Amino acid sequence: MKLYLARVPTIASQIVESLIFDGSIEVIASNRFEAENDLSAIMEEFLRREKQIMRETKDTMSAFEIPYDRFSSQRSKLCKKKNHPTGKDIEKYLARQFIESFMISNFVDEVYATDEDMYKKILSILRSFHVDEAALREEAKSKITNITEGTVEYEMALRQAIVEVKRKKGLLSKRKN
């Protein structure tokens, strides 16, 4: 799962709404915004750590002159060292964090469902926000014409096209990401 900052408020809102609607949690109307903000804060902290790991990986690779084709393995090592989830573990991690938050939040009045039931419901909602990154890349590639693939110019154009496609699909906010 790849988490996009622009989607964080929508994800938080859907999770809280769904769990209230099915009776898993009780949140009074005046606390709903804050309950959603608690979930948003968890996701934003995850994204902050994700960016930090990316920077540290790039810095390490630069300092030790590690070739870029080893970026993924270097990032994986750092994630493991910092106990930061990757891939499909991201949605599981977030679901567990959300459940813990419900248990201690001043804005969730009561929790009626079991952790396991909420976990399944939250995972289902998180998975509904899955983005097919390969499809985004293919759509971006289709927008590039008259530039030879494999050149620096092509890579720059592709990077820009991917940003435009993501922005069009609401995955990126108006500001530069």
Side-chain angles (χ1 to χ4, degrees):
M1 171 183 194
K2 180 164 180 174
L3 184 62
Y4 288 93
L5 184 59
R7 290 252 175 114
V8 164
T10 306
I11 294 170
S13 177
Q14 279 196 17
I15 289 171
V16 171
E17 180 179 328
S18 176
L19 293 177
I20 290 171
F21 181 76
D22 73 10
S24 296
I25 62 174
E26 182 179 326
V27 177
I28 60 172
S30 61
N31 285 339
R32 182 169 171 170
F33 179 74
E34 292 301 331
E36 291 173 6
N37 279 346
D38 285 348
L39 301 188
S40 292
I42 291 166
M43 290 182 275
E44 288 167 4
E45 174 60 17
F46 170 82
L47 289 170
R48 186 198 64 73
R49 286 181 59 209
E50 185 79 15
K51 282 183 181 179
Q52 179 185 3
I53 286 172
M54 294 295 268
R55 276 192 307 270
E56 286 182 33
T57 302
K58 288 176 184 177
D59 291 347
T60 300
M61 291 179 70
S62 176
F64 293 99
E65 298 179 359
I66 300 170
Y68 187 75
D69 64 347
R70 294 191 42 217
F71 180 83
S72 182
S73 65
Q74 290 297 312
R75 182 182 171 280
S76 293
K77 286 179 190 175
L78 188 55
C79 285
K80 190 170 187 169
K81 178 180 173 186
K82 293 189 175 247
N83 203 21
H84 184 74
T86 58
K88 292 184 181 197
D89 291 336
I90 294 169
E91 58 201 22
K92 295 172 185 174
Y93 168 82
L94 291 173
R96 286 190 305 271
Q97 293 295 307
F98 295 161
I99 292 167
E100 285 181 33
S101 173
F102 294 144
M103 299 301 177
I104 62 172
S105 176
N106 293 329
F107 306 110
V108 175
D109 298 302
E110 195 66 54
V111 176
Y112 296 110
T114 65
D115 289 4
E116 185 178 335
D117 287 341
M118 286 192 297
Y119 183 77
K120 289 176 185 176
K121 291 171 188 172
I122 292 168
L123 279 181
S124 175
I125 294 167
L126 288 171
R127 288 178 178 148
S128 74
F129 283 90
H130 173 75
V131 174
D132 185 350
E133 298 291 328
L136 290 178
R137 187 173 182 83
E138 287 305 312
E139 184 177 338
K141 279 183 173 183
S142 73
K143 295 182 179 300
I144 301 171
T145 57
N146 302 327
I147 302 175
T148 306
E149 193 169 342
T151 64
V152 172
E153 293 159 330
Y154 180 85
E155 292 302 317
M156 290 171 56
L158 179 60
R159 194 170 303 137
Q160 183 58 39
I162 290 171
V163 168
E164 289 173 18
V165 168
K166 286 180 178 180
R167 193 164 280 128
K168 181 180 91 175
K169 295 192 180 285
L171 300 174
L172 301 178
S173 58
K174 300 287 185 223
R175 63 188 171 91
K176 185 180 178 191
N177 282 343

